[in-house]
Amino acid sequence: DAGVIQSPRHEVTEMGQEVTLRCKPISGHDYLFWYRQTMMRGLELLIYFNNNVPIDDSGMPEDRFSAKMPNASFSTLKIQPSEPRDSAVYFCASSLNSGRSYEQYFGPGTRLTVT
Amino acid sequence: SQQGEEDPQALSIQEGENATMNCSYKTSINNLQWYRQNSGRGLVHLILIRSNEREKHSGRLRVTLDTSKKSSSLLITASRAADTASYFCATGGSSNTGKLIFGQGTTLQVKP
Protein backbone atom coordinates (compact mmCIF):
# COMPACT_ATOMS: atom_id res chain seq x y z
CA ASP A 1 0.00 0.00 0.00
CA ALA A 2 1.27 3.49 -0.85
CA GLY A 3 0.17 4.97 2.45
CA VAL A 4 -1.66 8.27 2.80
CA ILE A 5 -0.94 10.54 -0.16
CA GLN A 6 -1.04 14.30 0.08
CA SER A 7 -0.60 16.93 -2.59
CA PRO A 8 0.97 19.31 -3.11
CA ARG A 9 3.94 18.77 -0.78
CA HIS A 10 4.75 22.46 -0.78
CA GLU A 11 2.54 25.42 -1.58
CA VAL A 12 3.53 29.07 -1.64
CA THR A 13 0.78 31.55 -2.28
CA GLU A 14 -0.06 35.17 -1.77
CA MET A 15 -2.49 36.45 0.80
CA GLY A 16 -6.04 36.41 -0.50
CA GLN A 17 -5.56 33.49 -2.84
CA GLU A 18 -7.51 30.25 -2.61
CA VAL A 19 -5.56 27.18 -1.53
CA THR A 20 -6.70 23.58 -1.97
CA LEU A 21 -4.95 20.72 -0.24
CA ARG A 22 -5.63 17.15 -1.31
CA CYS A 23 -5.54 13.82 0.44
CA LYS A 24 -5.94 10.20 -0.57
CA PRO A 25 -6.37 7.95 2.47
CA ILE A 26 -5.30 4.34 2.74
CA SER A 27 -7.74 2.12 0.90
CA GLY A 28 -10.33 0.60 3.23
CA HIS A 29 -9.83 3.07 6.05
CA ASP A 30 -13.08 4.53 7.37
CA TYR A 31 -11.76 7.61 9.21
CA LEU A 32 -9.97 10.61 7.76
CA PHE A 33 -8.44 13.44 9.78
CA TRP A 34 -7.04 16.86 8.86
CA TYR A 35 -4.45 18.39 11.22
CA ARG A 36 -2.45 21.59 11.24
CA GLN A 37 0.99 21.82 12.87
CA THR A 38 2.82 24.98 13.86
CA MET A 39 5.61 25.65 16.32
CA MET A 40 3.38 27.87 18.41
CA ARG A 41 0.25 25.72 18.59
CA GLY A 42 1.57 22.22 18.02
CA LEU A 43 -0.62 19.65 16.26
CA GLU A 44 -4.25 20.72 16.03
CA LEU A 45 -7.13 18.58 14.79
CA LEU A 46 -9.15 20.61 12.30
CA ILE A 47 -11.86 18.19 11.18
CA TYR A 48 -12.46 14.48 10.82
CA PHE A 49 -14.72 12.27 8.74
CA ASN A 50 -16.20 8.83 9.30
CA ASN A 51 -17.38 7.00 6.21
CA ASN A 52 -17.13 10.28 4.24
CA VAL A 53 -19.37 12.15 6.69
CA PRO A 54 -17.93 15.08 8.69
CA ILE A 55 -18.16 14.19 12.38
CA ASP A 56 -16.44 17.05 14.17
CA ASP A 57 -15.33 20.32 12.60
CA SER A 58 -14.94 22.24 15.84
CA GLY A 59 -11.24 22.66 15.18
CA MET A 60 -11.72 24.53 11.93
CA PRO A 61 -10.36 28.01 12.67
CA GLU A 62 -13.00 30.03 10.84
CA ASP A 63 -15.29 30.14 7.85
CA ARG A 64 -12.36 30.59 5.51
CA PHE A 65 -11.62 26.90 6.00
CA SER A 66 -13.75 24.16 4.47
CA ALA A 67 -13.24 20.44 3.97
CA LYS A 68 -15.00 17.87 1.83
CA MET A 69 -14.83 14.15 1.32
CA PRO A 70 -16.83 13.35 -1.83
CA ASN A 71 -15.85 9.67 -1.72
CA ALA A 72 -13.87 7.18 0.33
CA SER A 73 -10.63 7.78 -1.55
CA PHE A 74 -10.40 11.56 -1.69
CA SER A 75 -10.64 14.60 0.56
CA THR A 76 -9.86 18.28 0.18
CA LEU A 77 -9.14 21.09 2.60
CA LYS A 78 -9.73 24.53 1.14
CA ILE A 79 -8.71 27.92 2.49
CA GLN A 80 -10.34 30.91 0.88
CA PRO A 81 -9.06 33.59 1.20
CA SER A 82 -5.70 32.58 2.63
CA GLU A 83 -3.86 34.70 5.20
CA PRO A 84 -0.22 34.70 6.40
CA ARG A 85 -1.30 33.20 9.74
CA ASP A 86 -2.48 30.09 7.86
CA SER A 87 1.16 29.23 7.16
CA ALA A 88 1.72 25.78 8.66
CA VAL A 89 2.19 22.14 7.80
CA TYR A 90 -1.12 20.45 7.11
CA PHE A 91 -1.37 16.70 7.66
CA CYS A 92 -3.97 14.24 6.56
CA ALA A 93 -4.29 10.95 8.42
CA SER A 94 -6.52 7.93 8.08
CA SER A 95 -7.44 5.02 10.31
CA LEU A 96 -9.51 1.88 10.38
CA ASN A 97 -11.64 1.91 13.47
CA SER A 98 -14.26 -0.58 12.45
CA GLY A 99 -11.85 -3.27 13.51
CA ARG A 100 -10.90 -1.30 16.61
CA SER A 101 -7.30 -0.70 15.59
CA TYR A 102 -7.38 3.05 16.39
CA GLU A 103 -3.90 3.90 15.16
CA GLN A 104 -3.67 6.70 12.65
CA TYR A 105 -1.52 6.71 9.53
CA PHE A 106 -0.21 10.11 8.55
CA GLY A 107 0.64 11.49 5.16
CA PRO A 108 3.88 13.41 4.53
CA GLY A 109 2.13 16.76 4.95
CA THR A 110 1.72 19.89 2.86
CA ARG A 111 3.89 22.83 3.87
CA LEU A 112 1.85 25.96 3.20
CA THR A 113 3.44 29.39 3.09
CA VAL A 114 1.20 32.41 2.65
CA THR A 115 3.06 35.64 1.91
CA SER B 1 -6.90 22.62 24.41
CA GLN B 2 -4.36 19.83 24.33
CA GLN B 3 -5.22 16.69 26.28
CA GLY B 4 -1.70 15.40 26.70
CA GLU B 5 1.08 17.29 28.39
CA GLU B 6 4.50 15.89 27.77
CA ASP B 7 7.55 16.14 29.92
CA PRO B 8 10.28 17.02 29.30
CA GLN B 9 9.83 19.28 26.28
CA ALA B 10 13.35 18.49 25.16
CA LEU B 11 15.80 15.73 26.03
CA SER B 12 19.40 15.25 24.96
CA ILE B 13 21.26 12.00 25.68
CA GLN B 14 24.24 10.00 24.48
CA GLU B 15 23.85 7.00 22.22
CA GLY B 16 23.36 3.86 24.28
CA GLU B 17 21.59 5.61 27.14
CA ASN B 18 17.91 5.16 27.93
CA ALA B 19 15.37 7.91 27.21
CA THR B 20 12.21 8.36 29.25
CA MET B 21 9.36 10.63 28.25
CA ASN B 22 6.21 11.25 30.26
CA CYS B 23 2.69 12.17 29.28
CA SER B 24 -0.17 13.34 31.48
CA TYR B 25 -3.77 13.71 30.42
CA LYS B 26 -6.98 15.04 31.89
CA THR B 27 -10.04 13.00 30.93
CA SER B 28 -11.01 9.33 30.78
CA ILE B 29 -9.46 7.45 27.91
CA ASN B 30 -10.01 4.32 25.88
CA ASN B 31 -6.40 4.07 24.75
CA LEU B 32 -3.14 5.99 24.69
CA GLN B 33 -0.75 5.97 21.77
CA TRP B 34 2.79 7.15 21.12
CA TYR B 35 3.94 8.55 17.79
CA ARG B 36 7.31 9.60 16.42
CA GLN B 37 7.93 12.46 14.01
CA ASN B 38 11.23 12.85 12.23
CA SER B 39 12.09 16.33 11.06
CA GLY B 40 10.02 17.34 8.02
CA ARG B 41 8.00 14.13 8.02
CA GLY B 42 4.58 12.90 9.09
CA LEU B 43 3.89 11.18 12.39
CA VAL B 44 4.47 7.45 12.65
CA HIS B 45 2.58 5.25 15.07
CA LEU B 46 4.84 3.45 17.57
CA ILE B 47 2.69 1.70 20.13
CA LEU B 48 -0.82 1.63 21.59
CA ILE B 49 -1.79 0.76 25.13
CA ARG B 50 -5.40 0.24 26.12
CA SER B 51 -6.92 1.63 29.29
CA ASN B 52 -7.09 -1.82 30.90
CA GLU B 53 -3.38 -2.47 30.29
CA ARG B 54 -0.54 -1.33 32.53
CA GLU B 55 2.55 -2.06 30.48
CA LYS B 56 3.42 -2.90 26.91
CA HIS B 57 6.65 -3.66 25.08
CA SER B 58 7.67 -3.40 21.45
CA GLY B 59 11.32 -3.97 20.65
CA ARG B 60 13.31 -1.31 22.50
CA LEU B 61 10.12 0.53 23.51
CA ARG B 62 8.37 0.13 26.82
CA VAL B 63 5.16 1.98 27.61
CA THR B 64 3.45 2.17 30.96
CA LEU B 65 0.01 3.52 31.75
CA ASP B 66 -1.31 4.57 35.15
CA THR B 67 -4.97 5.50 34.76
CA SER B 68 -5.28 6.47 38.43
CA LYS B 69 -2.64 9.15 37.90
CA LYS B 70 -3.71 9.82 34.29
CA SER B 71 -0.16 9.42 33.11
CA SER B 72 1.97 7.36 30.77
CA SER B 73 5.66 6.98 30.11
CA LEU B 74 7.63 5.91 27.06
CA LEU B 75 11.03 4.35 27.64
CA ILE B 76 13.44 3.87 24.75
CA THR B 77 16.29 1.60 25.77
CA ALA B 78 19.79 1.58 24.30
CA SER B 79 19.08 4.69 22.24
CA ARG B 80 20.56 5.22 18.80
CA ALA B 81 21.26 8.36 16.79
CA ALA B 82 18.38 7.29 14.51
CA ASP B 83 15.98 7.70 17.46
CA THR B 84 16.47 11.47 17.23
CA ALA B 85 12.95 12.79 16.62
CA SER B 86 9.93 14.32 18.33
CA TYR B 87 7.70 11.98 20.28
CA PHE B 88 4.00 12.61 20.87
CA CYS B 89 1.46 10.95 23.08
CA ALA B 90 -2.13 10.86 21.89
CA THR B 91 -5.24 9.85 23.78
CA GLY B 92 -8.38 8.24 22.46
CA GLY B 93 -11.47 9.21 24.44
CA SER B 94 -13.70 6.77 26.31
CA SER B 95 -16.52 7.52 23.88
CA ASN B 96 -14.51 5.71 21.20
CA THR B 97 -15.10 8.22 18.42
CA GLY B 98 -11.82 7.46 16.66
CA LYS B 99 -10.57 10.94 17.48
CA LEU B 100 -7.15 11.40 19.09
CA ILE B 101 -5.89 14.36 21.07
CA PHE B 102 -2.15 14.93 20.74
CA GLY B 103 0.24 16.40 23.25
CA GLN B 104 2.85 19.02 22.47
CA GLY B 105 5.61 16.48 22.13
CA THR B 106 9.09 15.80 23.47
CA THR B 107 12.06 16.52 21.23
CA LEU B 108 14.71 13.85 21.70
CA GLN B 109 18.28 14.29 20.52
CA VAL B 110 20.56 11.28 20.67
CA LYS B 111 24.21 12.21 20.26
CA PRO B 112 26.48 9.66 18.58
Side-chain angles (χ1 to χ4, degrees):
Chain A
D1 199 319
V4 175
I5 299 172
Q6 291 187 247
S7 65
R9 293 293 310 277
H10 301 272
E11 177 80 39
V12 180
T13 191
E14 292 183 346
M15 183 174 63
Q17 296 299 306
E18 177 179 296
V19 175
T20 300
L21 311 181
R22 297 173 177 80
C23 175
K24 177 179 168 57
I26 291 173
S27 178
H29 280 191
D30 55 352
Y31 278 79
L32 183 139
F33 305 83
W34 281 101
Y35 293 90
R36 177 173 69 177
Q37 186 176 40
T38 61
M39 289 294 292
M40 291 297 296
R41 299 175 67 88
L43 192 66
E44 302 173 276
L45 175 65
L46 301 177
I47 184 171
Y48 74 100
F49 297 81
N50 178 217
N51 292 323
N52 314 339
V53 176
I55 301 300
D56 184 351
D57 66 354
S58 60
M60 296 286 260
E62 47 199 274
D63 292 346
R64 297 184 298 106
F65 286 68
S66 63
K68 293 182 180 179
M69 192 164 186
N71 57 62
S73 59
F74 184 65
S75 177
T76 59
L77 178 68
K78 186 176 293 185
I79 308 172
Q80 165 65 14
S82 58
E83 296 182 3
R85 60 188 167 132
D86 302 331
S87 297
V89 181
Y90 291 80
F91 289 104
C92 175
S94 69
S95 71
L96 177 61
N97 282 38
S98 302
R100 296 291 185 264
S101 67
Y102 301 115
E103 62 190 77
Q104 294 185 12
Y105 295 79
F106 281 73
T110 295
R111 182 173 294 277
L112 173 65
T113 302
V114 183
T115 60
Chain B
S1 63
Q2 296 291 340
Q3 162 82 309
E5 296 290 334
E6 278 139 299
D7 169 58
Q9 288 190 331
L11 181 61
S12 181
I13 59 174
Q14 293 294 135
E15 205 165 28
E17 294 180 340
N18 295 342
T20 300
M21 289 160 267
N22 303 296
C23 169
S24 60
Y25 57 92
K26 298 174 184 175
T27 60
S28 297
I29 64 170
N30 175 284
N31 67 88
L32 186 143
Q33 304 178 35
W34 287 89
Y35 287 77
R36 182 187 73 222
Q37 184 179 31
N38 289 89
S39 181
R41 310 289 290 272
L43 281 72
V44 175
H45 180 266
L46 294 176
I47 193 166
L48 179 152
I49 186 165
R50 301 192 189 281
S51 58
N52 61 353
E53 297 175 312
R54 292 297 167 259
E55 188 171 313
K56 205 160 184 180
H57 296 254
S58 177
R60 293 184 296 111
L61 304 180
R62 172 178 169 252
V63 170
T64 61
L65 178 65
D66 186 335
T67 53
S68 66
K69 294 181 179 178
K70 291 187 168 56
S71 67
S72 172
S73 67
L74 171 67
L75 169 67
I76 303 174
T77 60
S79 64
R80 306 165 181 169
D83 294 329
T84 294
S86 292
Y87 292 82
F88 295 85
C89 70
T91 51
S94 55
S95 57
N96 194 25
T97 62
K99 175 180 174 180
L100 294 178
I101 303 297
F102 284 82
Q104 295 283 10
T106 293
T107 299
L108 172 65
Q109 182 185 27
V110 181
K111 299 175 184 176

